[in-house]
């Protein structure tokens, strides 16, 4: 008999082509002012333009956001926010920039506006992180959830196809692990299945035509749903492995998700056959793992650890780091099984997993 509990997060979203034009008005409605705009160095010019458009609502720009929120970056942003009397941040960018806004929100109590430009989906989760001494520490805190998210698909048009593919597979992973799980939640599953369908249909269209705004919108919507699934759902072996490779071997976040997902899905399948087959169905494939691997390859996203410059001799260390803490996973994970999984992911072989 159906039985579950579910807690939502306080999302406030405006989604649509040219939604960015509504940012000043939406901020006024919520009493948000004294905004420090956040970007990476790559997106500084867009940040400058955004600051101009905020007029009296903006106090300055911090354009040094970096992957995984390094603690020195957070310190520098905090200093600038205090010096300028900022009361809120407007993070324009991908998960790295969103992450900085979240950390400032939790640590300094600044209100938090996010304008996502990738498919990371971080704006829909309560997960925040800071990296110090090479160690990324993540936690869940509802204060990290943005006070306002503006999704404007037009902003994703500049995302290079190769990165759009990997970022889209990052979103796909957030959804897939919340369907192919031993602890399914019907609410999360509904979000996740719709995310899988939206991403599987739209990502190939983006690769075929990067200027297809309709496909870009569908992918951004899929990423938002996937983030919502991650934000109110759970993570398991897949996210632990991504954390290991990102943290220990500095592999790119989105690409690592893209590579590992099919192998983790294949590894878990026998323990959760029905749930895994639901993923296959949503993908329109006979096999979830093969469907995911084929999708990644057709998009030009990486599908082996080799492509991430991981070396054969790194795998043993990856196994040890991954097993440092217990993992809540559909199938029990030990060193032998994990080593076998990583060997498959290294060469791109799904057979006999
Ligand atoms: P990113 O934010 O690091 O962006 C990668 C690069 O692409 C940056 O240089 C950025 O400026 C540029 N870029 C972004 N959007 C662009 C656009 N539209 N056009 C051109 N260039 C653009 O990459 P990401 O994958 O979005 O985020 C990765 C980070 O997000 C990681 O630190 C990861 O841990 C975190 N993350 C967190 C969560 C969460 O729930 N907390 C979820 C997903 C990802």
């Amino acid at each position: 008999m159906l039985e579950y509990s579910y807690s939502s997060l306080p999302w406030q979203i405006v989604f649509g082509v040219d939604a960015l034009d509504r940012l000043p008005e939406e901020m006024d409605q919520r009493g948000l002012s004294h905004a420090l705009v956040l970007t990476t160095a790559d997106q500084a010019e867009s940040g400058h333009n955004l600051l101009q458009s905020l007029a009296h609502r903006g106090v300055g720009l911090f354009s040094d956001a970096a992957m995984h929120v390094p603690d020195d970056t957070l310190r520098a942003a905090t200093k600038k926010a205090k010096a300028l009397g900022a009361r809120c941040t407007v993070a324009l960018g991908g998960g790295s920039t969103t992450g900085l806004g979240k950390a400032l929100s939790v640590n300094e109590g600044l209100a938090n506006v996010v304008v996502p430009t990738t498919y990371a989906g971080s704006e829909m989760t309560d997960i925040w992180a800071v990296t110090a001494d090479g160690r990324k520490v993540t936690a869940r805190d509802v204060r990290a959830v943005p006070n306002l998210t503006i999704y404007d698909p037009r902003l994703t048009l500049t995302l290079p196809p190769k990165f759009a593919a990997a970022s889209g597979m990052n979103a796909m992973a957030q959804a897939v692990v919340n369907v192919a799980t031993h602890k399914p939640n019907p609410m999360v599953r509904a979000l996740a299945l719709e995310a899988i369908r939206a991403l599987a249909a739209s990502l190939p269209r983006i690769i075929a035509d990067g200027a297809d705004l309709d496909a870009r919108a569908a992918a951004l919507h899929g990423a938002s749903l996937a983030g919502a699934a991650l934000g109110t759902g759970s993570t398991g072996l897949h996210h632990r492995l991504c954390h290991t490779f990102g943290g220990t071997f500095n592999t790119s976040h989105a690409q690592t998700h893209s590579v590992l997902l099919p192998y983790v899905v294949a590894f878990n399948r026998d323990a959760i056959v029905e749930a895994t087959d639901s993923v296959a169905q949503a993908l329109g494939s006979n096999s979830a793992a093969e469907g995911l691997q084929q999708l990644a390859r057709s998009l030009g996203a990486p599908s082996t650890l080799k492509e991430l410059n991981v070396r054969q001799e790194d795998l043993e260390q990856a196994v040890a780091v991954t097993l440092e803490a217990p993992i809540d996973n559909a199938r029990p994970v030990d060193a032998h099984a994990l080593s076998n999984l990583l060997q498959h992911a290294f060469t791109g072989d799904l057979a006999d997993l």
Side-chain angles (χ1 to χ4, degrees):
M1 199 59 82
L2 195 58
E3 193 180 316
Y4 65 92
S5 60
Y6 177 76
S7 297
S8 186
L9 290 172
W11 300 305
Q12 294 200 51
I13 296 167
V14 178
F15 188 110
V17 172
D18 295 331
L20 186 60
D21 297 346
R22 285 171 54 188
L23 177 57
E25 162 197 340
E26 297 286 344
M27 285 178 66
D28 290 347
Q29 278 174 18
R30 292 168 175 77
L32 299 170
S33 66
H34 298 74
L36 177 65
V37 175
L38 309 174
T39 66
T40 61
D42 287 347
Q43 291 175 291
E45 197 183 327
S46 306
H48 182 74
N49 294 339
L50 178 60
L51 178 62
Q52 298 288 311
S53 74
L54 292 181
H56 62 276
R57 302 166 192 83
V59 294
L61 169 67
F62 179 86
S63 57
D64 287 324
M67 184 90 86
H68 306 316
V69 194
D71 63 342
D72 54 348
T73 306
L74 179 57
R75 270 197 300 276
T78 304
K79 196 172 161 196
K80 187 154 189 176
K82 284 188 173 157
L84 294 171
R87 292 189 202 152
C88 79
T89 57
V90 177
L92 172 73
S96 300
T97 310
T98 303
L100 178 60
K102 286 172 139 182
L104 286 165
S105 189
V106 174
N107 283 354
E108 304 300 325
L110 296 182
N112 176 11
V113 178
V114 178
V115 184
T117 63
T118 71
Y119 309 126
S122 170
E123 65 285 349
M124 295 298 285
T125 84
D126 55 354
I127 304 167
W128 72 290
V130 179
T131 302
D133 302 323
R135 249 190 116 79
K136 183 171 175 177
V137 180
T138 61
R140 285 190 183 253
D141 190 317
V142 74
R143 290 172 299 173
V145 178
N147 301 70
L148 170 64
T149 296
I150 301 274
Y151 284 109
D152 187 339
R154 216 182 268 291
L155 302 177
T156 62
L157 286 172
T158 49
L159 202 55
K162 210 175 154 76
F163 187 72
S167 187
M169 290 305 291
N170 178 188
M172 180 66 89
Q174 296 167 358
V176 167
V177 300
N178 276 294
V179 177
T181 169
H182 59 306
K183 290 185 179 166
N185 178 298
M187 297 288 281
V188 178
R189 187 183 140 92
L191 292 164
L193 281 171
E194 187 55 25
I196 295 169
R197 285 189 282 265
L199 291 162
S202 58
L203 294 173
R205 289 172 58 205
I206 291 174
I207 300 309
D209 176 8
D212 184 340
L213 193 54
D214 190 50
R216 294 274 189 180
L220 193 58
H221 175 59
S224 175
L225 291 170
L230 179 69
T232 52
S234 58
T235 60
L237 175 61
H238 174 76
H239 279 79
R240 174 71 67 78
L241 279 172
C242 290
H243 206 93
T244 296
F245 281 98
T248 312
F249 305 110
N250 206 23
T251 56
S252 149
H253 177 82
Q255 294 192 332
T256 310
H257 275 274
S258 171
V259 165
L260 289 170
L261 186 61
Y263 309 100
V264 176
V265 168
F267 175 78
N268 280 333
R269 182 177 181 268
D270 285 351
I272 41 170
V273 174
E274 224 174 290
T276 309
D277 288 351
S278 304
V279 171
Q281 212 174 15
L283 285 169
S285 169
N286 289 331
S287 147
E290 282 170 22
L292 289 165
Q293 191 189 53
Q294 275 161 16
L295 179 64
R297 287 186 175 156
S298 72
L299 298 174
S303 64
T304 65
L305 286 172
K306 261 187 205 168
E307 291 168 80
L308 301 186
N309 296 325
V310 172
R311 299 164 307 168
Q312 173 77 48
E313 55 268 36
D314 295 332
L315 300 186
E316 202 180 321
Q317 190 188 354
V319 169
V321 172
T322 305
L323 293 178
E324 273 173 7
I327 305 171
D328 186 13
N329 189 57
R331 180 177 153 187
V333 187
D334 61 20
H336 177 73
L338 194 52
S339 176
N340 186 38
L341 188 166
L342 292 183
Q343 189 56 48
H344 280 72
F346 186 72
T347 55
D349 176 16
L350 275 172
D352 305 323
L353 240 180

